[in-house]
Amino acid sequence: GVQMAVAQPRLEMTPQQHSFVVNPLTQGERVLLVLAWRNDWLSVDGANPAVPNVAQRAFLAMPAAGRDVDTVAQDLAEARGAIRMAIRPDHVVVQISAPRAGIETTLEIARSLLTMPQYDPRWVAVRADELAEVMTRARSNDRVAMWETARLAALGQGPLYNMLTLPDDALTREVSAPELLAWHRQVLGRAPVAMAAAGALTTDQAGRYLDSLLPGVAPAAPAPLVAA
């Protein structure tokens, strides 16, 4: 049979001199961009450990690119685009994907969310309450309680344990929009430590797309991701 050549990921530089890994694929129609920032929120004295987790839930619950919250969701759905944030103990990872026909709309919304965050206090309160309720229900599960006990034995009662476990529901409910904005500026306001692009795009397109998400951000030396 005919053997199809498989593209290999390679390291490239964006026009603004950010390093990234790219893997253009000739098959398929979707574009995937991944950016990772170091999450050093726990180094801030007195930082509420629930802030990153509430931010994850509130990230798409704010206006963006001249759109209200409902229109953001509607336009992403019409573009078949997706923007996801994952919180790790040491990194924050944002994934942006869309078909070629919808990538510009998806990027416009993602750029606004990343560079001009407008955390709505009403939505922040809703998301914080939701998270507290989720953690309350989870702690009633014997398996979860077992893992929390093991985590406490391994980590001790400290900032990392508190961030992973969120043992204080009252503290979770206290998270405010200004705290989310402070976290966002500290973590996402800097250059990512790793970026990647794959799918139905060229290397030049990948570089431009990634640069568009980082206006005015000076490049940083890449650092390896640590698996959580």
Side-chain angles (χ1 to χ4, degrees):
V2 177
Q3 297 294 319
M4 182 178 296
V6 178
Q8 294 297 318
R10 61 182 184 273
L11 187 64
E12 297 284 352
M13 301 293 289
T14 73
Q16 293 181 14
Q17 298 304 296
H18 296 280
S19 64
F20 71 103
V21 174
V22 63
N23 189 10
L25 303 175
T26 57
Q27 303 297 319
E29 64 164 1
R30 290 191 73 85
V31 173
L32 172 66
L33 305 173
V34 181
L35 302 91
W37 289 263
R38 191 168 301 285
N39 185 17
D40 58 357
W41 177 247
L42 297 181
S43 67
V44 177
D45 289 340
N48 186 329
V51 165
N53 294 283
V54 175
Q56 177 187 25
R57 290 172 168 265
F59 186 59
L60 285 174
M62 59 179 166
R67 301 165 169 87
D68 61 23
V69 174
D70 291 337
T71 307
V72 167
Q74 178 182 336
D75 287 358
L76 279 177
E78 290 179 358
R80 294 169 55 208
I83 304 170
R84 297 184 177 90
M85 175 186 290
I87 302 295
R88 303 288 183 262
D90 48 4
H91 288 87
V92 176
V93 180
V94 172
Q95 295 183 359
I96 301 161
S97 64
R100 281 176 292 188
I103 190 62
E104 295 295 342
T105 296
T106 305
L107 279 173
E108 181 186 17
I109 293 171
R111 183 184 311 118
S112 180
L113 292 172
L114 288 170
T115 64
M116 294 177 287
Q118 303 175 58
Y119 290 104
D120 186 322
R122 295 167 299 176
W123 277 109
V124 171
V126 169
R127 296 298 186 243
D129 285 344
E130 288 175 349
L131 180 58
E133 291 171 5
V134 166
M135 297 309 297
T136 297
R137 289 196 300 270
R139 280 190 288 273
S140 66
N141 182 287
D142 290 343
R143 182 182 294 271
V144 172
M146 177 183 68
W147 279 110
E148 287 193 3
T149 300
R151 184 180 290 154
L152 179 60
L155 300 176
Q157 182 79 49
L160 181 56
Y161 170 82
N162 290 335
M163 177 182 168
L164 294 172
T165 309
L166 301 181
D168 188 339
D169 289 341
L171 203 58
T172 299
R173 296 180 192 276
E174 288 176 3
V175 171
S176 66
E179 284 181 300
L180 294 194
L181 188 58
W183 170 85
H184 193 113
R185 288 172 174 168
Q186 174 175 323
V187 175
L188 303 182
R190 301 173 300 184
V193 295
M195 298 194 297
L201 78 178
T202 67
T203 299
D204 287 344
Q205 287 174 326
R208 292 198 302 273
Y209 290 161
L210 291 169
D211 275 347
S212 74
L213 299 169
L214 304 169
V217 176
L225 290 181
V226 178

